[in-house]
Amino acid sequence: MSAAPFTRIPSVREQRSDLVLAAVMFVGAVLSAALSTVADIYGDTRAEPWTALVYAVAVTAPLAVRRRWPAPVAIAVSLAYFLAISFQVPEIYVGNIAMFVSLYTVGAWMNDRRAAMIVRIGIILGMFVWLIITMYREAIEEAAKAEVAAGLLSPYLAFMLIQLLLNVLYFGGAYYFGERSWHAARERAVLEQRTAELEQEREVTAAQAVALDRVRIARELHDVVAHHVSVMGVQAGAARLVIDQDPAKTTSILSGIEDSARDAIHELRQLLETLRTPGGETADAASTVTLDDIRSLVDASSEAGLPTDYAVIGTPRPVPSVVSVNLYRITQESLTNARRHAGVGATADVRVRYDDDGVEVEIVNTGRAVAVLRPGLGQLGMRERAAASGGTLDVAPRAAGGLRVRARVPLTGAGGAQAASPIETGVST
C-alpha cells in the first residue's frame, strides 16, 4: 500500500506567529520609510511620503496569511514591490525582506509542488526581465558620459554586475531555503509516521506476547489438572467398588489417589512460582521431563485402569528439552482422553520411535468407535505443542474403535548414532 502524499497544514500557533510577523514587518516598514524620506532617497523624483504608508500595508499585510495561501501572498507582495520601485516610493529595505519571506513560504508550504515551482520561477523571471530592462535603459542614458566608456570595465557596468549578482543570490537563496524547508518537513513527517507505526507494532507485539503467555498458561493448567484429576477420578471409582470386599486393595488405591494429588499440587506450585517470580526463575529446580519419563505415564495409566503397553523403537538419541516436554505432554493428554472416553475394557499402546530424521510418539487406544472428532482444548493444546517443536500431529479414529495419536518432530542436526537394525523393547502392564 503506497503512503499518503505529504501535506503541510499550518497550525493555529503558526498562524498566530504569522500575524505577529506581519505586525513587526509593518512597524519596520513605517520606520524604514520615515528614515528613507529623511535620507532623501530617490532625491527629487521620489513619490509622496504618504505612498510609503500605503506601500507598508500592501507589502506586509499579506504576510499574516502567508502559510495559508502562499502563492497569492507571494504574487501580491511581488506586485507591491514592483510598483513601489517603479514609482520610487521611499522604502526599499523591508519590501526586500517581505518578498524574500513570501518566496521562501511558497517553497516551504505550498502543497502543490508543480504550482509552487511555476509561481517562484514566474516571479523570479519577471523580476530579472524587469531588472535587465531597467539596466539597459539606464545604460543608454549614461552612454554619453565619459565614465561609462573609460577602461575595460566602467564603474557603471561594475555596479550593474554587483546588482545582478546580488539578485541571483537573493532569489536563489529564497528558492533554495524554501525547498530545503519542504523536504525537511516531509522527512520529519515520515519519521513521525514510522515512529507511530513502530509504537503501534510494539503494542501489538506486547499484546500478542501476553496472549501467547495466556495460551501457554492455560495449556499447562489443562495438562496438569486434566491428567491428575482424571487419574484420581478413576481411582476413586475403583476404591468405591472394592471398599467392602477388599480393604487392602482400597488402601492401595487411596494411596495412589494421594500420590496423584501430591503430584498435581507440586506441578501447580511450580507453575505458580514461575508466574510470580520476575524472569521466570523459581526457588525449585526446573522441570527436566525427558522422553524416558513417558514410562511413568504408562505405569500410572495402567494403575488407573487403562492397561497400557510401552515400547521404544530404535536407538534413543539426544532430544531437546522443549521437544521432550511437548511430546511428554502430548502422551499425557492422549492417555487422559483414552481413560475418559474409551470405555470399559479399553487398552492403550505407547510407542516412542527414533530414526535418522527425528523422533515420533504414537499413542493408540482401543474402545468406543469415534465417528467424528470433537475439537477441544486438549486437541488444540497438543497441536500447539507439536507446532511449537516444529513437528506435526495426526489424530484419527481407528476403524476398530478408539483413536490413534501420532506426533512427529524432526531432529535436524541432533547427535546420536542409529543402530543398523532397530530394536524394540516392550513392557506389558
Side-chain angles (χ1 to χ4, degrees):
M1 183 175 60
S2 59
F6 172 63
T7 302
R8 292 194 79 176
I9 300 176
S11 64
V12 176
R13 181 179 178 181
E14 289 170 334
Q15 293 180 37
R16 284 200 299 265
S17 69
D18 289 342
L19 289 173
V20 174
L21 174 65
V24 172
M25 294 283 287
F26 174 74
V27 173
V30 171
L31 292 176
S32 176
L35 294 175
S36 297
T37 301
V38 174
D40 200 22
I41 291 180
Y42 295 127
D44 296 335
T45 61
R46 77 167 183 268
E48 294 296 327
W50 63 267
T51 60
L53 181 62
V54 176
Y55 172 61
V57 174
V59 82
T60 61
L63 297 179
V65 291
R66 68 185 182 93
R67 293 187 229 220
R68 295 181 63 186
W69 298 294
V73 168
I75 294 173
V77 171
S78 299
L79 286 175
Y81 180 81
F82 171 77
L83 293 175
I85 297 297
S86 299
F87 291 100
Q88 298 186 349
V89 175
E91 201 296 302
I92 56 177
Y93 301 108
V94 174
N96 274 290
I97 298 173
M99 189 166 64
F100 185 94
V101 171
S102 66
L103 286 175
Y104 163 84
T105 305
V106 171
W109 284 89
M110 194 165 178
N111 294 314
D112 188 342
R113 302 311 296 168
R114 181 179 178 86
M117 181 185 67
I118 293 174
V119 168
R120 287 177 293 174
I121 291 179
I123 292 175
I124 292 172
L125 288 178
M127 289 294 177
F128 270 97
V129 169
W130 172 52
L131 177 63
I132 292 173
I133 293 175
T134 302
M135 291 172 60
Y136 178 76
R137 291 175 57 185
E138 291 182 359
I140 294 298
E141 293 174 359
E142 299 291 331
K145 296 182 179 180
E147 293 84 357
V148 176
L152 180 64
L153 188 63
S154 67
Y156 177 77
L157 182 58
F159 177 75
M160 289 295 102
L161 290 177
I162 291 174
Q163 293 296 315
L164 186 62
L165 177 62
L166 289 176
N167 277 275
V168 169
L169 295 176
Y170 174 87
F171 289 109
Y175 196 104
Y176 172 76
F177 288 114
E179 203 70 15
R180 279 287 302 275
S181 176
W182 171 267
H183 288 297
R186 185 174 61 181
E187 291 174 359
R188 186 167 56 251
V190 171
L191 181 60
E192 291 174 354
Q193 180 181 1
R194 289 178 179 175
T195 302
E197 291 175 353
L198 288 175
E199 181 65 21
Q200 185 178 6
E201 289 179 3
R202 187 191 66 80
E203 294 176 356
V204 171
T205 302
Q208 290 176 341
V210 171
L212 289 175
D213 282 341
R214 290 167 62 92
V215 170
R216 179 178 60 85
I217 293 168
R219 185 169 59 227
E220 294 291 340
L221 286 174
H222 175 271
D223 290 344
V224 173
V225 174
H227 171 69
H228 291 290
V229 172
S230 174
V231 171
M232 288 187 289
V234 172
Q235 291 173 331
R240 181 173 58 82
L241 293 176
V242 301
I243 189 170
D244 295 328
Q245 292 83 5
D246 193 345
K249 181 65 173 177
T250 301
T251 301
S252 176
I253 294 175
L254 292 177
S255 177
I257 294 176
E258 292 177 359
D259 292 340
S260 297
R262 279 193 294 268
D263 291 341
I265 292 173
H266 176 71
E267 293 191 32
L268 288 173
R269 182 174 178 274
Q270 279 193 322
L271 179 59
L272 292 175
E273 288 293 333
T274 300
L275 297 176
R276 289 173 179 169
T277 305
E281 299 178 357
T282 66
D284 295 338
S287 176
T288 55
V289 175
T290 65
L291 292 183
D292 293 336
D293 293 310
I294 291 178
R295 181 184 293 272
S296 64
L297 291 177
V298 171
D299 295 338
S301 178
S302 298
E303 292 176 3
L306 178 66
T308 305
D309 290 338
Y310 173 68
V312 177
I313 302 174
T315 302
R317 56 192 299 191
V319 176
S321 59
V322 174
V323 175
S324 297
V325 171
N326 286 333
L327 292 180
Y328 176 90
R329 292 299 188 189
I330 290 173
T331 305
Q332 184 182 60
E333 176 65 22
S334 300
L335 292 176
T336 299
N337 289 337
R339 286 194 298 271
R340 294 173 59 186
H341 305 297
V344 180
T347 61
D349 182 67
V350 177
R351 295 174 181 268
V352 181
R353 294 188 180 92
Y354 296 90
D355 55 36
D356 294 336
D357 300 323
V359 61
E360 178 180 287
V361 174
E362 183 181 49
I363 305 96
V364 178
N365 68 272
T366 63
R368 296 192 185 99
V370 179
V372 179
L373 287 175
R374 296 180 180 179
L377 293 178
Q379 290 187 40
L380 178 61
M382 289 192 294
R383 294 189 185 280
E384 289 175 348
R385 288 188 179 278
S389 299
T392 58
L393 180 78
D394 179 35
V395 181
R398 298 174 67 244
L403 286 176
R404 172 183 286 103
V405 178
R406 181 185 293 112
R408 179 172 180 81
V409 177
L411 298 178
T412 304
Q418 297 295 319
S421 59
I423 60 172
E424 180 172 340
T425 59
V427 177
S428 179
T429 57

